[in-house]
Amino acid sequence: MRILVGCEMTYEFPQPTPVIATLNVHASRFSDLERPDYLITSPAVPLDGYRDSFGNWCQRMVAPAGTFTLKTETIVRDTGTGDRHEREATETPIEKLPSDSVLFLLGSRYCETDCLSNIAWDLFGHIPPGWSRVQAICDYVHDRITFGYEHARATRTAFDVFEEQRGVCRDYAHLAIAFCRCLNIPTRYCNGYVSDIGLPLPHAPGDFAAWMEVYLGGRWHTFDPRNNSSRIGRILIAYGRDAADVPLTLTFGANTLTNFVVTTEEAANVA
């Protein structure tokens, strides 16, 4: 399957402003790209690329005053089979975890394990460890939280989500991540493209979204507490401890986002 993905973001800046963009497909999918997903800016400005501490590709620039647009596009080859489910995957004892996974056991900006630890063990401690426990967490978060773009708030933490019972996809992810970490399961925050390929009409168009990856059975597995179902065309851009590590754009000054378009659809359906 060939999937067209890309985005276009237009800002108005009152003065020259430093920007960091993390909009390119993650290196783990490079071999699936039919062409590089170069980041194009209008007007053109110098870009300084680097890999952050998690290996995500980031690009620094200074946006000029006025209208400024970021755009990227590529075609990704995908199996079309959706997320893999390995229901027999087991938890790994902490002492046997790979060292690079231990960071994803710790509390972070949006995932306060100290506030949620007792709650997590009360809710899920009786469930057999492994895939079934993580799925129970996703079921709980999916059923408890009311989704709505009008509920978006940049400062909402996992504990806030638990109490307020509303949010957007990143809030679902933060609460589920915090619960998993409280139960000693390494879990990392992911963002990228999620399509609606294969879903019955009518459905919303594909978009940028947040989900999580959980370390079970010796590797990372995808779980999506917002949709709580397998999705075709889930294409990773970046991962980190939580949303604070992987903003799509980070702007160091006043600005207004005036246009934001995300494309993720089968290439065969594109004229």
Side-chain angles (χ1 to χ4, degrees):
M1 175 179 290
R2 300 168 69 244
I3 302 175
L4 175 67
V5 298
C7 71
E8 182 173 319
M9 307 170 74
T10 301
Y11 292 88
E12 291 290 336
F13 288 98
Q15 61 189 23
T17 304
V19 177
I20 300 175
T22 308
L23 293 169
N24 297 98
V25 173
H26 192 265
S28 61
R29 297 299 302 264
F30 276 2
S31 62
D32 298 326
L33 302 186
E34 291 192 2
R35 59 176 183 265
D37 60 334
Y38 294 122
L39 181 64
I40 307 299
T41 70
S42 179
V45 298
L47 302 177
D48 181 15
Y50 69 96
R51 295 208 178 279
D52 67 11
S53 57
F54 301 100
N56 306 310
W57 184 246
C58 308
Q59 299 192 72
R60 298 174 62 187
M61 68 205 77
V62 177
T67 303
F68 184 67
T69 298
L70 300 165
K71 184 176 182 178
T72 183
E73 183 180 281
T74 190
I75 291 179
V76 182
R77 294 185 296 270
D78 192 82
T79 62
T81 57
D83 304 321
R84 294 173 56 187
H85 288 174
E86 297 183 14
R87 302 186 186 282
E88 302 306 315
T90 59
E91 293 179 22
T92 302
I94 294 176
E95 64 273 17
K96 295 184 179 180
L97 286 170
S99 295
D100 59 2
S101 72
V102 174
L103 175 65
F104 300 103
L105 287 175
L106 309 180
S108 57
R109 164 69 179 87
Y110 289 107
C111 301
E112 320 98 311
T113 52
D114 53 344
C115 296
L116 288 163
S117 182
N118 289 339
I119 296 170
W121 282 103
D122 288 344
L123 289 172
F124 310 109
H126 66 285
I127 297 172
W131 188 281
S132 59
R133 178 178 282 174
V134 177
Q135 186 57 59
I137 290 171
C138 290
D139 293 342
Y140 176 88
V141 172
H142 178 79
D143 294 341
R144 180 181 179 87
I145 308 305
T146 299
F147 179 87
Y149 291 111
E150 70 277 13
H151 301 322
R153 190 177 80 234
T155 59
R156 183 181 288 117
T157 67
F159 187 71
D160 293 334
V161 179
F162 176 77
E163 291 199 314
E164 297 173 15
Q165 300 183 39
R166 61 186 181 182
V168 293
C169 58
R170 78 179 218 159
D171 299 313
Y172 286 71
H174 284 150
L175 181 55
I177 288 167
F179 279 150
C180 287
R181 291 179 185 169
C182 289
L183 298 168
N184 300 324
I185 307 169
T187 310
R188 60 195 189 190
Y189 178 95
C190 300
N191 66 25
Y193 297 97
V194 174
S195 81
D196 287 299
I197 295 171
L199 296 183
L201 293 171
H203 57 63
D207 201 352
F208 284 135
W211 62 91
M212 65 185 192
E213 290 181 347
V214 177
Y215 192 83
L216 295 172
R219 74 173 190 88
W220 294 97
H221 296 265
T222 295
F223 287 84
D224 183 349
R226 158 67 180 100
N227 296 299
N228 207 24
S229 63
S230 177
R231 289 300 180 96
I232 297 170
R234 188 187 301 277
I235 299 166
L236 180 67
I237 288 178
Y239 70 77
R241 293 168 298 179
D242 57 35
D245 288 332
V246 289
L248 295 168
T249 58
L250 183 60
T251 55
F252 295 86
N255 64 86
T256 302
L257 178 65
T258 60
N259 184 56
F260 185 20
V261 178
V262 179
T263 301
T264 170
E265 57 192 26
E266 279 194 78
N269 295 334
V270 178

